[in-house]
Each structure stands twice: as structure tokens, then as C-alpha cells.
Amino acid sequence: MITISFDQKRIERAKTMLALAPKEADRAAAAAINRTLTHVPKEMAKTVREKYIVRAGSVKKSLRKNRASAGKLAGEIISTGKTMPLTSFKIGGGRRGPMRVKVLRRGSPKPVKGLFARPFPKGYVGPMKRVGGARYPLKTPAGPSIPQMVGNEEIFSKWGDEAEEFLNKRFTHEIDFRFSKLFG
């Protein structure tokens, strides 16, 4: 979990500017938090896609937002989801030797022992793996989940710093907007 907070200098500036209307500072903070909550998923998807081969829509779809209000000045973004099937990533090979799967953008596809693909009677065409030594049962292998990708320390730190900077800029903008609206 990452905690993003307001810059103390900006809070002091807001208090002095809105001493006549203290509730406006809370409303400005809530508006800044909510605007940050709509901005961050785009940044999350962008940083996840820098490292993993995954669609931005899949990342954004896995995110749930809890918005802030003037009474509750906290917001959160929660990523939920199951592991993604290997068909979501880049798959190749299989003619000679094991099939190869590429999950990360860097590097080469890695061989997966026992992975094969052929058309099945029910219409599924994709990678499968035997569970035991017998022909059946088969299972569809999976890669990492989107919460695992988003929670990667490398990715987490990149968009976290950017989100805090965006929140502080937005808070200043909201304070200026409310000040000019109240006092012309």
C-alpha cells in the first residue's frame, strides 16, 4: 500500500487563504483527491505496460476506486483479480521443443515444460498442460495476476511519486479556484 499526502506548505497556504471559509479547504482537498483517483489508473497502466506484456484496459478494469468526500478526506484504489491465462501473453514455438511464453517485455520467451496447444473437441484452441502422467486431466496454465503486476515494487514506486506530485498540484489549483470564486 502506498500513502500519498499533501505538502505541508500547501496546507498552510490553504488555511490562510480560506480562513474565512474553512469548509472550502476540505472541499478542495476532496476534489483534489478524487481528481487524482481518476488520473492514477492511466499512470498505473502505463507503468505496468513498461514491464509486462498486458493490455492497458485489463489493468484499468481490475481497479476499484473509493472516492473522498469533505467529511472523509481519504481515497483509495484497489486492484483485484485472478491470475491471467497464458493466452493473454505472447506464446510461441511448439513445433520442436517446448512452447515458449513471454510475460515480461524485456528478455526472450521462456520455455514451459509440458505445455502444448492443439484444438480440443469443445472448441478451445490454446495452451494446456497435463496435471499428471495420464492424458487427462488437463489444466490451462496461468501467468501473474494484475494485482501482482501493480504491486511490483519497481512499478509501485514509479507511479506513486508521480501521483503525489499530481495531488499537490491539483490541491493548489482547487484552492486557487475556490479563492477566486469566493473573493473575485
Side-chain angles (χ1 to χ4, degrees):
M1 184 170 123
I2 190 167
T3 303
I4 299 171
S5 57
F6 291 106
D7 186 20
Q8 200 60 32
K9 290 178 186 175
R10 292 172 198 259
I11 291 174
E12 294 302 322
R13 180 174 176 248
K15 283 181 183 177
T16 57
M17 287 179 73
L18 298 174
L20 300 173
K23 288 185 180 178
E24 288 298 317
D26 291 342
R27 290 184 187 128
I33 291 168
N34 290 334
R35 181 62 183 93
T36 303
L37 289 177
T38 58
H39 174 76
V40 166
K42 183 181 89 172
E43 292 302 316
M44 281 179 156
K46 193 166 81 173
T47 54
V48 166
R49 287 179 48 99
E50 286 174 5
K51 183 168 178 119
Y52 296 97
I53 297 175
V54 66
R55 292 182 176 196
S58 300
V59 175
K60 290 176 187 174
K61 199 184 300 182
S62 78
L63 303 175
R64 189 180 80 228
K65 301 173 207 156
N66 291 334
R67 295 172 55 88
S69 64
K72 183 188 132 222
L73 293 176
E76 63 183 355
I77 297 176
I78 301 167
S79 178
T80 57
K82 299 177 184 177
T83 56
M84 297 180 68
L86 282 183
T87 54
S88 302
F89 303 103
K90 191 173 181 180
I91 300 175
R95 291 262 183 219
R96 286 191 167 181
M99 289 186 73
R100 297 174 175 274
V101 179
K102 186 173 180 181
V103 176
L104 300 174
R105 289 221 179 259
R106 286 184 160 185
S108 59
K110 305 296 180 214
V112 179
K113 187 177 178 184
L115 192 66
F116 65 96
R118 57 179 59 100
F120 291 93
K122 290 190 177 181
Y124 175 75
V125 178
M128 296 295 278
K129 194 172 186 177
R130 290 189 166 77
V131 175
R135 282 181 77 168
Y136 292 102
L138 299 172
K139 72 173 187 175
T140 306
S145 66
I146 292 179
Q148 287 174 322
M149 294 179 208
V150 171
N152 185 332
E153 288 297 322
E154 220 175 277
I155 294 170
F156 212 62
S157 62
K158 281 184 185 177
W159 64 260
D161 296 340
E162 201 279 329
E164 188 163 352
E165 182 182 326
F166 184 85
L167 175 68
N168 285 313
K169 282 182 184 176
R170 194 65 200 183
F171 182 61
T172 303
H173 170 77
E174 290 291 337
I175 291 294
D176 291 342
F177 170 73
R178 281 165 170 63
F179 185 75
S180 66
K181 192 169 139 182
L182 287 173
F183 303 112

